[in-house]
Amino acid sequence: MQILYLTLALFLLLNISVGMYRIIRGPSTADRMLAAQLFGSTAVAILLLLTLATGNSALRDVALLLALLAAVTAVAFVQRAWPNRETDDDDE
Amino acid sequence: MTMSDYLSATLLITGAIFFLAGTLGLLRFPDVYTRLHALTKADNVGLGLTIAGVAVQAESWAVVGKLLLIWVLVLLAGASVAHLIARGAQHRGIHLWKR
Amino acid sequence: MSSAFLYTLVGLGLFALGLYALIVHAHLLRKILAINVMGSGVFLVLVALAKRTGEVRPDPVPHAMVITGIVVAISATALALILMLKLTAKTGHARLPDDQRESR
Amino acid sequence: METITLLAWAFDSLLGLGLLWLAWQSLASPDLFKAIVLFFAFGLLMALAWVRLEAPDIALAEVAIGAGLTSALLLAVLAKLRATEINDDTTEPLENVEQTFRSFQWFPTVILLLVVAGLSYTVLSLPPYATGLSAEINTNIENSGVRNPATAVLLNFRAYDTLLEMLVLLIALLGVWSLNGAVLQSKTAPGLVLDTLSRLLAPMLILVAAYLLWVGAHASGGAFQAGSILGAAGVLLLLAGWRLRPALTALPLRLMLVAGPAAFIAMAVFTMMIEGQLLEYPKQYAGILILFLEIAATLSIGTTLVALFLGGRPSNNFPSNDFPSKDEEHK
């Protein structure tokens, strides 16, 4: 089971790495924020898997905290930093 | 491996597949709304399945409660943030993708 | 190579990247980000070196230092950011005024 | 067993490469917003790195600060910066930033190579096994009043460090206040969803802060983590449009800010008189005295972080507005 937990954690980390493309690429600021948000929930899953793999229950508290706080940055973005004129070049 | 190990492994692997689906959606979908849709839903289900898989292995009910709390919080935050971003995008005149 | 040394090297790399960015960028917000990356590198080196205890739990003294370091780093960052805003309000640019480079 | 080592090694390598790559991209990015989002992602990966290095205490602090506060602060400042910066031709052209960063500049590169070479040599010549102070801590931890070694170091063995750290936080805030101005106001009205979210999350954050403060005595957690979470709760409320009642921003706010340092100094004087040593607690009361200090420190750290996010002295700059004021969360 240890092997499964670590494999899945590695897989999710790979998922995050691939998702970075969207932060780099954009095109809109919302897309970047969205991708960063994905990192948050995937990191929660990785932390829970590592909790199982290492047996250190303190990691569960880290996951809980991340779940609570992942929203704060997104809220800061929506409330403050989102430019009013967004370049609408959403074509792929 | 016991019965609960198999159950847990199945749930965890299914969860990881949902995460993969979310990431694929993030990369391949054409506009911010569809990406939002793919990501928020797939990831929340993926995390829910992962949490279910972890909860099967939990040593006490208190731990199950904490895991459930984590999921509820992520659902709450994810849904709210998705709404805020979608509304903001619409407000700023980002167009919906049309074929 | 043990994971402690792997993370030590990553920490060194982060420190070097941050230092480079601190030198070449003129924009103050970038400089602040660079200092934060450098700080993360230093923290990583400290904690990675604390893990050289073998099988027993790592040395907690660097851990405690890094915990306070993270909190102090954000307060210093906040002060730096406000200073930058003040400077921008005065001069209109988020750059140090004695920056002589023509091209930037 | 072999597979597990291999997997762990692959995880660590991928994480390390991801960290370096994110830092590189963040520092080279021509778009400041992108740089900040990448820095946020960098913070998340740092939290995973702390977990891999068996430092859950630091992971908690990193998540609370990196995910909650730093990027929120950076984003708020960026918005303010865009409003004040003059966008004429002399401003740094966007395309040049990446070019500057990527193009070869011999002077910084040489310095950098020297620094890296020196540091790598030093680090790699260190002995592969070193126990540091863990042995001393293990023998003395029974007398410290807590069972979490990190908390024991912070609040007992090296409590004078923590005392000075509290003063550093206070001085940073005084610096921000002395600059006088630039309060980072909310741009848009919060709306129903954000309002509800803040109402649900803020009490949860306060509860988790209290939990970590309590649990810090024997497991991961403690005053700095709890204080950072309180700070994040306050920032969330500020972003959602909540404001302190003006009556509370004058004296009560300042009392909150100095509670931590004051408690530490009072404790230092007290222990000097009782035990003859700075911050050396009487053994049978160590646990309760540490808890008292931690509560004061948590409240002060949380309040200071929120005040830093505000970026200006609230009593001078706050017009009364329509949002109902809510005070508990800022304490």
Side-chain angles (χ1 to χ4, degrees):
Chain A
M1 286 304 274
Q2 286 268 338
I3 295 178
L4 177 74
Y5 301 145
L6 279 175
T7 316
L8 286 179
L10 183 62
F11 174 76
L12 290 181
L13 190 62
L14 268 172
N15 243 324
I16 285 187
S17 324
V18 175
M20 282 175 198
Y21 170 81
R22 195 43 85 191
I23 297 190
I24 303 289
R25 188 59 224 288
S28 68
T29 45
D31 286 302
R32 302 188 208 280
M33 202 60 238
L34 193 60
Q37 202 63 28
L38 155 88
F39 283 23
S41 51
T42 316
V44 170
I46 294 178
L47 283 169
L48 291 174
L49 286 167
L50 288 178
T51 314
L52 282 183
T54 62
N56 185 352
S57 61
L59 304 191
R60 217 174 278 130
D61 290 342
V62 183
L64 173 68
L65 199 51
L66 191 53
L68 267 169
L69 289 177
V72 175
T73 303
V75 170
F77 162 67
V78 172
Q79 286 297 101
R80 300 282 172 92
W82 204 342
N84 271 323
R85 286 177 53 80
E86 179 84 66
T87 46
D88 187 15
D89 52 357
D90 258 339
D91 51 314
E92 292 261 300
Chain B
M1 295 240 299
T2 61
M3 195 61 207
S4 66
D5 275 358
Y6 279 113
L7 179 62
S8 164
T10 318
L11 286 168
L12 289 176
I13 292 171
T14 325
I17 293 171
F18 271 95
F19 272 109
L20 177 66
T23 309
L24 282 181
L26 178 72
L27 292 184
R28 298 295 304 152
F29 276 3
D31 71 354
V32 66
Y33 304 101
T34 48
R35 279 178 214 136
L36 208 54
H37 150 90
L39 204 59
T40 313
K41 286 168 194 168
D43 271 19
N44 283 339
V45 175
L47 187 65
L49 288 167
T50 308
I51 281 177
V54 174
V56 170
Q57 305 272 348
E59 56 264 39
S60 71
W61 284 105
V63 171
V64 176
K66 199 189 259 180
L67 290 169
L68 269 180
L69 179 65
I70 293 176
W71 191 46
V72 169
L73 286 172
V74 171
L75 277 182
L76 178 73
S80 310
V81 167
H83 166 85
L84 289 173
I85 290 183
R87 196 188 56 174
Q90 197 190 21
H91 219 73
R92 285 165 181 79
I94 296 178
H95 295 301
L96 284 169
W97 173 76
K98 292 196 188 65
R99 188 177 289 280
Chain C
M1 188 167 56
S2 70
S3 71
F5 275 98
L6 179 81
Y7 282 108
T8 313
L9 290 183
V10 172
L12 282 182
L14 289 178
F15 182 83
L17 264 178
L19 187 60
Y20 182 67
L22 181 68
I23 295 171
V24 300
H25 283 318
H27 197 288
L28 287 174
L29 188 55
R30 288 177 203 285
K31 280 187 192 284
I32 294 171
L33 278 180
I35 290 178
N36 270 298
V37 170
M38 281 170 75
S40 297
V42 172
F43 294 157
L44 206 54
V45 171
L46 272 176
V47 177
L49 291 179
K51 202 172 174 277
R52 294 176 303 153
T53 46
E55 295 300 307
V56 289
R57 69 188 302 165
D59 184 5
V61 177
H63 288 195
M65 283 162 68
V66 170
I67 291 170
T68 52
I70 289 175
V71 178
V72 168
I74 171 121
S75 54
T77 306
L79 178 57
L81 287 169
I82 300 294
L83 267 173
M84 180 193 74
L85 283 182
K86 207 64 186 169
L87 182 77
T88 315
K90 267 247 148 47
T91 64
H93 303 288
R95 275 185 275 127
L96 292 180
D98 58 348
D99 198 340
Q100 295 298 320
R101 279 171 289 182
E102 301 296 327
S103 62
R104 331 225 36 247
Chain D
M1 201 57 211
E2 196 52 42
T3 328
I4 288 177
T5 330
L6 194 67
L7 277 172
W9 195 83
F11 190 89
D12 289 340
S13 315
L14 185 59
L15 192 57
L17 284 178
L19 278 172
L20 286 171
W21 192 73
L22 273 178
W24 168 264
Q25 289 292 328
S26 169
L27 294 176
S29 152
D31 176 10
L32 273 173
F33 176 77
K34 188 166 127 188
I36 292 173
V37 174
L38 284 165
F39 189 71
F40 167 64
F42 174 80
L44 287 181
L45 285 197
M46 279 300 283
L48 289 179
W50 298 133
V51 165
R52 289 294 305 154
L53 286 168
E54 296 177 57
D57 294 277
I58 308 179
L60 284 171
E62 178 79 46
V63 166
I65 301 264
L69 286 167
T70 310
S71 24
L73 182 67
L74 284 168
L75 286 172
V77 165
L78 179 63
K80 186 87 179 176
L81 186 67
R82 278 180 176 155
T84 46
E85 216 171 5
I86 301 168
N87 277 318
D88 55 8
D89 291 337
T90 56
T91 321
E92 194 169 27
L94 281 184
E95 299 75 35
N96 273 359
V97 175
E98 205 165 3
Q99 234 172 36
T100 319
F101 197 78
R102 297 240 157 100
S103 68
F104 181 80
Q105 297 182 330
W106 69 268
F107 185 61
T109 313
V110 167
I111 290 183
L112 201 69
L113 285 178
L114 283 176
V115 169
V116 172
L119 287 176
S120 314
Y121 174 73
T122 317
V123 163
L124 291 175
S125 59
L126 286 172
Y129 288 99
T131 48
L133 293 168
S134 358
E136 280 85 346
I137 284 166
N138 280 337
T139 51
N140 288 315
I141 194 144
E142 290 92 59
N143 300 329
S144 72
V146 290
R147 291 206 307 282
N148 177 13
T151 308
V153 172
L154 279 175
L155 270 304
N156 195 336
F157 303 146
R158 290 184 69 87
Y160 52 93
D161 264 3
T162 312
L163 160 66
L164 294 176
E165 240 112 36
M166 297 298 302
L167 291 177
V168 169
L169 275 180
L170 193 61
I171 290 168
L173 182 68
L174 290 181
V176 167
W177 278 7
S178 66
L179 289 170
N180 197 27
V183 165
L184 306 166
Q185 286 276 16
S186 203
K187 200 165 78 174
T188 38
L192 191 60
V193 171
L194 183 53
D195 197 47
T196 315
L197 183 71
S198 70
R199 277 167 203 268
L200 287 171
L201 279 189
M204 274 304 300
L205 281 166
I206 293 163
L207 188 64
V208 171
Y211 163 72
L212 282 179
L213 178 63
W214 179 253
V215 94
H218 58 85
S220 295
F224 281 87
Q225 290 88 341
S228 315
I229 298 169
L230 279 191
V235 167
L236 180 68
L237 289 173
L238 284 179
L239 287 169
W242 299 85
R243 291 294 175 265
L244 266 180
R245 211 173 284 136
L248 287 169
T249 56
L251 192 61
L253 177 72
R254 284 159 174 78
L255 283 180
M256 255 0 231
L257 290 171
V258 297
F264 261 98
I265 291 169
M267 187 65 76
V269 172
F270 175 71
T271 47
M272 284 272 263
M273 291 198 296
I274 303 291
E275 294 280 300
Q277 283 283 343
L278 184 74
L279 289 167
E280 190 160 305
Y281 315 110
K283 283 188 183 60
Q284 62 271 38
Y285 300 118
I288 188 79
L289 291 179
I290 286 178
L291 186 65
F292 165 71
L293 275 187
E294 281 201 296
I295 291 173
T298 303
L299 294 176
S300 281
I301 292 169
T303 320
T304 311
L305 289 174
V306 178
L308 283 171
F309 181 78
L310 260 182
R313 223 173 312 176
S315 51
N316 300 348
N317 296 293
F318 264 108
S320 63
N321 57 23
D322 300 343
F323 299 118
S325 57
K326 194 175 185 184
D327 25 283
E328 299 88 78
E329 277 73 24
H330 295 282
K331 292 188 175 172

